[in-house]
Amino acid sequence: MEGCSKPFFVGGRYVGDTNMFMTECRRLALRAMTCVAAVVVAMTTPSVASAQDGAGACCITTPNGVSCVMLTQAGCAERGGVFRGAGVACSSTVCAPTPTPTGACCVASAAGIQCFMLTQAQCAERNGHYRGNGVQCSFTLCAPPPPPTGACCIQAAGAITCTVITEAQCAERNGQYRGNGTTCSSNICAPPPVTGACCVTTPNGTFCVQTTETQCAAQNGQYRGNGVPCSSVTCAPPTTGACCVRNASGAIVCVEVTRAQCESQNGSYRGDGVRCAVTTCPTPAPTGACCIASAAGIQCLQLTQAQCAERNGQYRGNGTPCSNTTCAPPPPATGACCMPNGVCVTATAAQCQQGGGHYRGDGTACSSLACPQPVGACCVRTDADGIACITVTEAACRERNGQWRGVGTPCSNTTCAPARGACCLPNGECVVLTADGCRERGGHYRGDNSACNVPCPPARGACCLQRDGRVICVIATRDACEKEGGRYRGNGTACTGTVCGSPTGACCLPNGTCVSMTQADCAQHRGHFRGPGTNCDAVRCEQPRGACCVRTAAGGVQCIMATEAACREHNGQWRGPNSTCGDNTCTPPAARGACCMPNGACVIVPAAECERAGGRYRGDGSACADTPCPQPTGACCVRSASGGVQCVTATQAACREHNGIWRGAGTGCDAKDVCTPPPPPARGACCVRAGDAVRCVITTREMCARANGVYRGDGTSCDTKGVCNN
């Protein structure tokens, strides 16, 4: 009676469940085998009426296996079955599972490497190497690859001959093996290159090695010349002496460098072996601008600091020139200003008064005092989980985890009502909701108090398109999908699974990347399909190999074949997927050194790149910290004693010392309007809240913003009626 333990069909129609069928069998006095036969006939013989109703074979998985029943597509989907198509009849093979493919599997054993026809999973269980689905075993399939060969230079009878053999065969003939994959060319067995002394600096000191000029450059060494032997003095440090140079601030200082380095800095070399001392670079006492008060006013004289002190003057600094602005009065004093909204800003007394603030005195700092804070409405939660409105400062409101409504805001019935705004629903419709309400409906909240006057983006979903003989899935709007001739799967649908028909899965491409596509598309791209429904996040694809340049123990550079990750582990430089090792694959980079740019900046670049940028190269291996670059000069606008603006030529640092405005490197004072002062800033009405009232002051836009006020525009007046009403 086991065959009657399932629902059955007669003529493609559902007759009933197990109990009903058993009752029918007993009433007709049918035997158990007859009952089973009736079920099988009903399942394998479609009726004309069923085909006309759009019915077809439906494969349903049950605890006893997979059964085939005739259903419509919708009925098959309701029972979780796989619909084989309208009009397809149930048969013994229509629901049979697809057999697992087999292929050649190379398994290592004590007797050697053997080949078996297995599935990929069976091959993995035996730690074998799977050759691919459908690949047949042959005598050579699992044979080990032949040993690599390369060019071998053999000297015999006074001549050198080249032959391509293995490295072991080359060693047996006392030859020089040129590497795997090398071929016999016209220069492969040429005599060794010319060598010379190379001075290499290491953490343990400077050493001399006999090598080629190229190998010396690869080790960042200094090549002494072809044929130069290593001796006790070959790599001795160069002779240095005292050099008097002018630093960035204009003072003369003494440094111990070589003669060439001293000349490159426009210095005065005192001789080999001369050490820097106090008297090595004597300079006259520096002078600078000195401001002296007299009956005729404030005069500027060029004096030393001691001479300026004798005349009770104010010394402006070494090297400062006398100009119209050198002895100008200092700018007006500033101090802390408490604005009506409780914010503290640094301003002059006049600026503070214009903004309606309270000036705390010249030189006072906002960091050392606290301004009285204004109060406003604060919405806080009560113990009963309600919302109450209290009038406190912003800090007190924050301590209670409340929402502060602003300076001077009063508590009313609507002050603490939850904010509402525009919400874009998944179907593209815009409605006004609270933020929580929008989130519950799966929408995108546009912000508090936002309106639906801006259209929401149209709804998007999965779109199945036909491209190059295959079906692809993209996310698009319904209009865009139908315009391209695609099938739109509905708002919010995603490109997953079988949304467009054939199932997708992880596909490992030849470059080592993983993409999700159908098995057919994966085969077209010569990829390895990992199975329907597999995810790239859980799949590890075999990575391609390429040339990798790594340093050897002797300090040279060697090329090996490795994956990008393995190359990175060896601190090597990967040349890209499928790249090969050649003669020029690992050519060392050009030497680098300090380069003084035209703008006075110092960068570390090769000599050729420094010259292209118009810079001055300081030598291979030189550092910016040891090479001060001359600073460019430009126009500097400074205030004169009469309050005007004067232009002087100075470096940026010197201009900053005089509180001037530097116009840039290379700018000249002869340029038109280079120091023309800008017009005074525009002023207008500014509405500032002070407690429960709003006050109007005339100030600049900047000062209005500092006071958190509302600026009504340049030239507006506080006398205008209603200027601060809204």
Side-chain angles (χ1 to χ4, degrees):
M1 296 302 291
E2 183 179 358
C4 296
S5 62
K6 307 174 183 177
F8 69 99
F9 294 77
V10 176
R13 295 181 296 105
Y14 179 65
V15 175
D17 55 18
T18 303
N19 294 334
M20 177 179 178
F21 179 65
M22 292 295 292
T23 304
E24 186 67 14
C25 284
R26 293 192 187 94
R27 188 180 67 81
L28 297 176
L30 296 176
R31 294 178 302 165
M33 293 302 293
T34 304
C35 178
V36 172
V39 174
V40 173
V41 170
M43 293 175 60
T44 60
T45 307
S47 67
V48 175
S50 300
Q52 292 176 349
D53 292 341
C58 175
C59 300
I60 302 173
T61 302
T62 69
N64 297 323
V66 179
S67 299
C68 181
V69 294
M70 297 294 291
L71 293 174
T72 63
Q73 185 173 3
C76 184
E78 291 177 358
R79 300 186 63 183
V82 179
F83 191 65
R84 295 304 188 186
V88 177
C90 287
S91 66
S92 59
T93 60
V94 71
C95 293
T98 304
T100 304
T102 62
C105 175
C106 299
V107 182
S109 65
I113 300 178
Q114 295 177 300
C115 184
F116 301 94
M117 293 298 293
L118 302 172
T119 65
Q120 186 173 3
Q122 292 170 338
C123 185
E125 292 177 357
R126 299 190 182 188
N127 295 322
H129 179 59
Y130 193 64
R131 296 299 190 179
N133 296 337
V135 177
Q136 300 295 320
C137 286
S138 66
F139 290 107
T140 60
L141 184 65
C142 296
T149 60
C152 176
C153 300
I154 304 173
Q155 186 170 6
I160 299 177
T161 58
C162 179
T163 180
V164 177
I165 54 179
T166 65
E167 185 175 5
Q169 293 169 338
C170 185
E172 292 175 356
R173 302 186 187 185
N174 296 321
Q176 290 185 348
Y177 192 64
R178 295 305 189 188
N180 295 336
T182 54
T183 59
C184 287
S185 60
S186 58
N187 58 356
I188 191 70
C189 294
V194 179
T195 63
C198 174
C199 299
V200 180
T201 301
T202 69
N204 297 324
T206 301
F207 299 92
C208 183
V209 293
Q210 203 77 17
T211 182
T212 64
E213 185 174 3
T214 302
Q215 293 171 337
C216 184
Q219 302 180 51
N220 295 323
Q222 291 184 349
Y223 193 64
R224 296 305 189 190
N226 295 335
V228 176
C230 284
S231 67
S232 58
V233 296
T234 303
C235 296
T239 304
T240 61
C243 174
C244 300
V245 295
R246 193 175 296 275
N247 61 15
S249 62
I252 296 179
V253 296
C254 182
V255 293
E256 293 184 8
V257 294
T258 64
R259 180 184 295 275
Q261 291 172 335
C262 183
E263 292 175 353
S264 67
Q265 301 180 43
N266 297 321
S268 176
Y269 193 64
R270 297 305 189 188
D272 295 342
V274 177
R275 306 301 297 271
C276 284
V278 177
T279 59
T280 303
C281 299
T283 55
T287 61
C290 177
C291 299
I292 303 173
S294 66
I298 298 179
Q299 293 180 312
C300 182
L301 300 176
Q302 202 76 19
L303 302 172
T304 65
Q305 186 172 5
Q307 292 169 341
C308 186
E310 291 175 357
R311 301 191 184 189
N312 296 321
Q314 289 184 349
Y315 192 64
R316 295 304 190 189
N318 295 337
T320 54
C322 283
S323 66
N324 296 334
T325 60
T326 304
C327 298
T334 60
C337 174
C338 292
M339 302 302 291
N341 62 352
V343 176
C344 182
V345 297
T346 301
T348 65
Q351 291 172 334
C352 185
Q353 184 178 3
Q354 290 176 355
H358 176 56
Y359 192 64
R360 305 305 290 269
D362 295 343
T364 54
C366 287
S367 58
S368 60
L369 56 87
C371 293
Q373 297 300 302
V375 296
C378 174
C379 301
V380 295
R381 287 201 171 274
T382 64
D383 294 338
D385 204 24
I387 297 178
C389 182
I390 58 176
T391 303
V392 293
T393 63
E394 184 178 6
C397 184
R398 193 182 302 113
E399 291 177 357
R400 302 189 183 190
N401 296 322
Q403 293 182 347
W404 204 55
R405 296 306 188 191
V407 176
T409 52
C411 285
S412 65
N413 295 333
T414 60
T415 303
C416 296
R420 296 162 64 86
C423 174
C424 292
L425 299 178
N427 61 358
E429 179 185 0
C430 181
V431 294
V432 177
L433 298 171
T434 63
D436 292 338
C438 183
R439 193 179 303 108
E440 291 175 357
R441 297 182 63 176
H444 173 65
Y445 191 61
R446 288 289 183 83
D448 295 344
N449 302 319
S450 57
C452 285
N453 52 357
V454 178
C456 291
R460 294 157 58 87
C463 173
C464 301
L465 298 172
Q466 192 81 19
R467 290 290 185 270
D468 300 328
R470 59 191 182 94
V471 178
I472 63 173
C473 181
V474 297
I475 300 298
T477 63
R478 180 185 295 275
D479 292 341
C481 181
E482 294 176 351
K483 184 177 180 180
E484 294 292 329
R487 289 185 300 155
Y488 191 65
R489 291 306 191 181
N491 297 337
T493 53
C495 287
T496 57
T498 58
V499 67
C500 290
S502 300
T504 59
C507 175
C508 293
L509 297 178
N511 63 356
T513 59
C514 180
V515 295
S516 180
M517 58 176 62
T518 64
Q519 187 172 5
D521 292 339
C522 185
Q524 289 182 358
H525 289 79
R526 294 182 297 173
H528 177 50
F529 192 65
R530 306 305 291 267
T534 53
N535 194 324
C536 281
D537 294 336
V539 170
R540 183 176 182 181
C541 296
E542 183 177 356
Q543 298 301 303
R545 292 159 56 87
C548 174
C549 300
V550 295
R551 285 204 172 274
T552 63
V557 180
Q558 180 184 9
C559 182
I560 62 174
M561 296 296 293
T563 64
E564 184 176 9
C567 185
R568 194 181 301 113
E569 291 177 359
H570 289 79
N571 295 321
Q573 292 183 347
W574 204 55
R575 298 306 188 190
N578 303 320
S579 58
T580 58
C581 288
D583 294 337
N584 300 322
T585 304
C586 298
T587 302
R592 297 159 64 89
C595 173
C596 291
M597 303 299 289
N599 63 353
C602 181
V603 294
I604 302 296
V605 294
E609 186 174 341
C610 181
E611 293 176 0
R612 285 195 299 268
R616 185 176 180 183
Y617 194 62
R618 294 301 195 180
D620 296 344
S622 57
C624 285
D626 303 329
T627 310
C629 293
Q631 297 302 302
T633 59
C636 175
C637 301
V638 294
R639 285 205 170 274
S640 63
S642 60
V645 178
Q646 181 184 8
C647 180
V648 296
T649 301
T651 64
Q652 186 176 10
C655 186
R656 190 182 300 113
E657 291 177 0
H658 290 79
N659 296 321
I661 300 176
W662 203 56
R663 294 306 187 186
T667 55
C669 288
D670 54 350
K672 184 179 179 181
D673 300 331
V674 66
C675 289
T676 300
R683 297 158 60 86
C686 174
C687 301
V688 182
R689 184 173 293 278
D692 295 333
V694 177
R695 181 180 177 184
C696 181
V697 295
I698 300 296
T699 185
T700 63
R701 183 186 296 274
E702 179 186 2
M703 288 303 299
C704 187
R706 289 188 184 183
N708 289 335
V710 178
Y711 191 66
R712 293 307 187 186
D714 297 342
T716 54
S717 174
C718 288
D719 297 334
T720 303
K721 185 177 180 181
V723 68
C724 290
N725 285 351
N726 52 22

